[in-house]
Amino acid sequence: MALQVFNTRTRRLEAFVPADPHVVRIYTCGLTVYSAMHIGHARTYCFWDVFRRYLEYRGQHVLSVINYTDIDDRIIAKAADGADAGAPGGWLEVAESVIATFRRDCRALRIKDYAAYTRATDFVDAQIDMVRQLLASGHAYVVDGEVFYDVQSFPRYGELSGNTLDGQQAGASGRVGEDLDRKRHPADFTLWKPSTPEQPTWNTGEAAWPQGRPGWHIECSAMATAMLGRHFDVHGGAVDNLFPHHENEVAQSEPLCGHPWVRYWMHPEHLDLRGVKMSKSLGNVIGIPDLLSRHRYDEIRWFFASTHYRTKLAFSDELIDACAEGFKRITRAVKLLAERLRAVSPQARAVPVRSRYASMRAPEQAIPREREAFEHGVFGAATRAFLDRFVAAMDADLGCPQATAAMFDYVGELFAQGLETIDDPPSLMAAYRCLTRHLHVLGVETVDAELYPELAADCLATADEGTQQLAELRAVIDRMLEARAEARRSKDFARADAIRDLLKRAGVAVEDAPGGARWELVR
């Protein structure tokens, strides 16, 4: 088994072989922090979260870095608008407030924390040093205190994106205009620009470009190199970062390191809003709190997993709801297993298997780490088939749609083989742990800490169903259901219906089953 990923640079699937077989170093382009994350960003960052989770599932260790572009014309403009309106604070306050919302939104979507979050303004000295080196090596030039990168000095310019210099003549890209008379080539881009008196500025100590602020592209090159070195494994962002941003990063970074700067470039596709462009001017930007007010986070993560990351994903509330309907079969299996397992003692449900370390197994059996325990019991054959399908799907360029299809079939087999009736707690426990472990890879953290503490410890606190608050809520609902059951036994059906209606108004759906009433929280 070997993980393969689509490398944008070579435009083909390649075996994923990090420079260090144990450690994967990934740099992801983060937000320009003038406004909060929206649904388009969410798809991108949820993909990178799944990629990281799958690498960790395979036994690799991930050093993941994401940046905040915290100096930008739009940040400056927003601060100026706030000052005109009498709002306190300035550029820094605008950036830091958006950064705070980004962290909260990521956690609400169960995106795992990165190893490091870098701010562009903390690396200005490294950016100035890179600009100096590019000037000294003939890859840049100065015009009126502004430093431009000379794209013609880098023969491989355009290889990453396919946008060659021949296609970058005046007006060809629509992104150049006012600086044409100052540039050697229309595609030349700014490394450093002077600041006006009311803008933030840094001193360089250079006579030709004495003060100012960095351009967007040099920021990421400096931060990624400082954090991960002159050659690292993966660089990514959404497909809109491919050109010109990532192309320009390559052009300014590789002359200074003398070899390929990044091994794999990966680019998730956009959301497709059915022909409607999302923009602040149209008032149709959907933020994460708004999204989560209409859909549960696990429904959103499952929806994102329903389409391959390199395919545009049609997006609407109706499509999420339709996808969530199918997802209910998965969550029903998890809840049913959990209910049955909580009804027996820890000793009775323990899986009597001693797993071997992954490095002691044959390669085709090496993952996941707890494979032997997952395959225990009456569901063992179905579990083995599921594991093989899941790994094969994810190894094929993170094939989440095929992985979710394998999970649907696995749940179908569990129900067909007696998930609701079989009296074999260790077999139920093996299936429960297998199912929740693989949902975790896809960003769905639905594990009960009482039943699977090892996995719960790797979940965000907000996703832990074993927290004291939720445990107390469960106890209250269970007591109300006991009172309802007693009313039904006494043939006081009016009281039983009243309790059920009260729970329904409180957002608790009750389902009567042969083994007793089940419940779940609904919106």
Side-chain angles (χ1 to χ4, degrees), residues 338-386:
E339 288 172 1
R340 299 198 65 199
L341 289 165
R342 282 195 296 266
V344 300
S345 69
Q347 294 76 19
R349 66 190 180 222
V351 179
V353 171
R354 292 196 175 195
S355 297
R356 292 168 296 157
Y357 291 104
S359 54
M360 296 173 65
R361 302 186 212 143
E364 66 274 10
Q365 295 291 314
I367 58 174
R369 289 176 63 87
E370 297 170 272
R371 184 172 185 122
E372 291 97 338
F374 292 159
E375 294 176 350
H376 169 77
V378 298
F379 305 116
T383 299
R384 280 189 290 276
F386 165 67

Side-chain angles (χ1 to χ4, degrees), residues 210-268:
Q211 60 82 30
R213 51 198 172 94
W216 174 31
H217 312 300
I218 199 70
E219 294 173 338
C220 278
S221 285
M223 286 186 281
T225 301
M227 297 298 296
L228 299 174
R230 288 177 172 262
H231 178 74
F232 54 94
D233 300 305
V234 183
H235 193 315
V239 70
D240 58 331
N241 291 138
L242 175 56
F243 186 83
H245 184 47
H246 290 164
E247 190 71 70
N248 291 349
E249 281 192 75
V250 171
Q252 65 199 3
S253 301
E254 293 197 355
L256 302 185
C257 64
H259 51 70
W261 184 50
V262 175
R263 175 69 186 273
Y264 304 94
W265 290 85
M266 298 171 67
H267 294 90

Side-chain angles (χ1 to χ4, degrees), residues 175-489:
R175 65 183 178 88
V176 293
E178 69 276 7
D179 288 330
L180 284 177
D181 57 339
R182 302 169 65 232
K183 294 180 177 181
R184 296 176 182 174
H185 188 279
D188 290 354
F189 56 91
T190 298
L191 298 171
W192 186 269
K193 57 185 172 184
S195 297
T196 58
E198 71 278 4
Q199 294 176 340
T201 186
W202 287 265
N203 296 320
T204 68
E206 301 291 333
W209 46 293
Q211 60 82 30
R213 51 198 172 94
W216 174 31
H217 312 300
I218 199 70
E219 294 173 338
C220 278
S221 285
M223 286 186 281
T225 301
M227 297 298 296
L228 299 174
R230 288 177 172 262
H231 178 74
F232 54 94
D233 300 305
V234 183
H235 193 315
V239 70
D240 58 331
N241 291 138
L242 175 56
F243 186 83
H245 184 47
H246 290 164
E247 190 71 70
N248 291 349
E249 281 192 75
V250 171
Q252 65 199 3
S253 301
E254 293 197 355
L256 302 185
C257 64
H259 51 70
W261 184 50
V262 175
R263 175 69 186 273
Y264 304 94
W265 290 85
M266 298 171 67
H267 294 90
E269 257 290 357
H270 291 302
L271 291 179
D272 180 2
L273 300 177
R274 295 184 168 181
V276 178
K277 179 179 175 59
M278 187 170 60
S279 71
K280 292 181 177 62
S281 61
L282 295 175
N284 65 347
V285 175
I286 302 174
I288 306 310
D290 187 20
L291 181 64
L292 289 170
S293 72
R294 306 199 295 263
H295 310 283
R296 297 201 316 261
Y297 94 89
D298 57 337
E299 296 171 344
I300 295 164
R301 293 300 299 258
W302 188 262
F303 175 70
F304 285 153
S306 68
T307 302
H308 193 269
Y309 78 93
R310 288 193 291 114
T311 301
K312 285 188 177 180
L313 173 60
F315 177 89
S316 70
D317 287 321
E318 294 76 16
L319 289 171
I320 296 179
D321 288 339
C323 188
E325 280 299 312
F327 181 53
K328 286 181 180 178
R329 185 166 174 81
I330 308 291
T331 57
R332 180 169 176 259
V334 172
K335 291 175 181 176
L336 181 56
L337 283 165
E339 288 172 1
R340 299 198 65 199
L341 289 165
R342 282 195 296 266
V344 300
S345 69
Q347 294 76 19
R349 66 190 180 222
V351 179
V353 171
R354 292 196 175 195
S355 297
R356 292 168 296 157
Y357 291 104
S359 54
M360 296 173 65
R361 302 186 212 143
E364 66 274 10
Q365 295 291 314
I367 58 174
R369 289 176 63 87
E370 297 170 272
R371 184 172 185 122
E372 291 97 338
F374 292 159
E375 294 176 350
H376 169 77
V378 298
F379 305 116
T383 299
R384 280 189 290 276
F386 165 67
L387 292 175
D388 291 343
R389 282 184 63 189
F390 185 92
V391 171
M394 297 297 285
D395 275 354
D397 194 29
L398 289 301
C400 290
Q402 292 75 26
T404 58
M407 193 170 291
F408 271 120
D409 291 345
Y410 179 51
V411 167
E413 283 294 314
L414 294 179
F415 278 112
Q417 295 182 29
L419 180 153
E420 297 179 276
T421 58
I422 190 171
D423 186 18
D424 184 357
S427 291
L428 297 174
M429 177 64 92
Y432 173 81
R433 290 195 167 199
C434 180
L435 192 54
T436 54
R437 179 67 184 90
H438 290 80
L439 283 168
H440 181 272
V441 174
L442 300 176
V444 176
E445 298 182 339
T446 188
V447 64
D448 187 319
E450 177 187 343
L451 301 175
Y452 199 172
E454 300 88 346
L455 181 60
D458 196 34
C459 296
L460 294 178
T462 51
D464 182 3
E465 293 186 1
T467 60
Q468 183 64 29
Q469 182 179 6
L470 286 176
E472 291 171 356
L473 174 62
R474 182 188 297 130
V476 170
I477 295 173
D478 286 344
R479 284 196 294 271
M480 293 183 70
L481 290 177
E482 289 172 6
R484 177 174 176 266
E486 178 60 32
R488 295 182 73 183
R489 285 192 293 270

